[in-house]
């Protein structure tokens, strides 16, 4: 294998090397079956053990009580933008907090199924902060928030109090990255391809009472009831992606769970944010709402940004280009990204500044 780069890709993103090795082996030979993981039945005992273990590990790592379903679905987090209102809005009203590109997409879909009240937005400052004042509706079916805006580089630390109204969180870009009281969320969903595994599987964690009360007139494959009843095996699930998620969860446990992962994430983010000087490297997010996963910044000119990204790439730091919709630079430092890589990037940033 060629030397691994420092991979700052925003998603699909870096995975632990140990996970990649195990997954590669399993493709060729799984459990001494004379077949690989891609070739076995999703109804086999061997695959059942994989999905059962993956589910148990999600519950254990997040500390979830028995009152939740843990589902492995397809269609990406983008499909959840539609499935959430299709199942849970029931023609009523929902509160959405509008924090950027991803929240916007969730809002667009919800409007197809009922009334959306934008309970707060940071649009006035180009989505560079997380709002702290909310205009929640007493009769909302749910409140929807995006825990980490992957493009804007802002992240919730204090989630809002929503009383009896269920809180639904798009955790696509920061699931498994930190300790939180996960039991206070009624539903969490996440495309796996950043912190949890490969593309192709979407994690849906949903309180059982929400599924029971969900709409009935929903097409079978888009109904939470179907997938909850059949334990993610109504049809053929993304077997390989689920297997790799299980390997990632093993890796999280072996590192010492969320406490250890969180400590490393804090260290990486601090190293890079500390390299900002407000002049040459300028952070785009309000300091108190800075994401520990996606670190967004600008240089004095677009030409310098281009040069920075190109030279970084030559030096082995890949994926630092900001999202095409906002430009600039972005260092995505998901769980599997090593602390050493963040420290080395800081060294590169200092050198680049000196000679520019
Ligand atoms: N929400 C967030 C916060 C994301 O970062 C992304 C993907 N980058 C999505 C939703 C969409 O995910 P998917 O590509 O799995 O549909």
């Amino acid at each position: 294998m060629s030397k691994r780069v420092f991979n700052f890709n925003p998603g699909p993103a870096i995975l632990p090397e140990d996970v990649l090795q195990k997954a590669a082996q399993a493709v060729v030979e799984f459990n001494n079956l004379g077949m690989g993981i891609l070739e076995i039945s999703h109804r086999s005992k061997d695959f059942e053990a994989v999905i059962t273990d993956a589910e148990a590990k999600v519950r254990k790592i997040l500390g979830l009580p028995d009152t939740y379903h843990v589902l492995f679905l397809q269609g990406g987090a983008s499909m959840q933008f539609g499935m959430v209102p299709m199942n849970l809005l029931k023609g009523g009203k929902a509160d959405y907090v509008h924090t950027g590109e991803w929240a916007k997409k969730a809002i667009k879909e919800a409007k197809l199924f009922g009334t959306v009240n934008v309970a707060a937005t940071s649009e006035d400052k180009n989505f560079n902060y997380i709002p702290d004042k909310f205009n929640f509706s007493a009769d909302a079916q749910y409140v929807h928030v995006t825990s980490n805006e992957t493009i804007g580089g802002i992240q919730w630390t204090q989630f809002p109090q929503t009383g009896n109204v269920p809180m639904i969180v798009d955790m696509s870009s920061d699931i498994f990255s930190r300790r939180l009281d996960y039991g206070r969320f009624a539903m969490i969903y996440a495309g796996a391809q950043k912190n949890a595994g490969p593309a192709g599987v979407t994690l849906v964690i949903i309180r059982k009472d929400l599924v029971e009360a969900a709409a009935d007139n929903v097409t079978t494959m888009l109904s939470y009831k179907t997938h909850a009843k059949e334990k993610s095996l109504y049809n053929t699930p993304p077997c390989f992606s689920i297997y790799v998620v299980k390997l990632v969860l093993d890796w999280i446990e072996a590192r010492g769970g969320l406490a250890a992962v969180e400590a490393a994430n804090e260290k990486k983010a601090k190293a890079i944010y500390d390299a900002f000087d407000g002049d040459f490297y300028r952070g785009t997010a309000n300091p108190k709402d800075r994401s520990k996963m996606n670190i967004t910044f600008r240089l004095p000119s677009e030409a310098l940004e281009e040069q920075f990204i190109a030279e970084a790439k030559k030096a082995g730091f890949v994926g630092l280009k900001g999202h095409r919709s906002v430009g600039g630079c972005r260092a995505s430092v998901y769980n599997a990204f090593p602390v050493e890589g963040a420290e080395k990037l800081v060294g590169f940033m200092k050198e680049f500044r000196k000679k520019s």
Side-chain angles (χ1 to χ4, degrees), residues 35-57:
M35 301 182 273
I37 181 86
L38 301 175
E39 303 170 289
I40 66 173
S41 166
H42 61 294
R43 310 259 175 225
S44 65
K45 285 254 168 322
D46 292 90
F47 185 72
E48 197 185 305
V50 168
I51 196 165
T52 306
D53 194 20
E55 179 186 334
K57 289 201 159 100

Side-chain angles (χ1 to χ4, degrees), residues 10-11 75-81 102-103 105 146-151 170-174 189-194 199-202 294 323 330 334:
S78 302
M79 198 156 89
Q80 293 310 308
F81 294 161
W102 295 110
K105 290 195 165 154
T146 311
S147 63
N148 184 70
E149 283 282 357
T150 322
I151 295 173
D170 173 2
M171 251 185 226
S172 293
S173 49
D174 65 351
Y189 63 90
Q193 65 274 16
K194 297 159 201 303
V201 63
T202 309
N294 310 98
H323 191 268
R330 170 174 56 170
Y334 299 118

Side-chain angles (χ1 to χ4, degrees), residues 125-139:
K125 294 201 173 143
N126 207 15
F127 302 112
N128 76 350
Y129 71 100
I130 300 284
D132 58 6
K133 288 188 184 58
F134 310 98
N135 172 28
F136 289 135
S137 341
D139 56 345

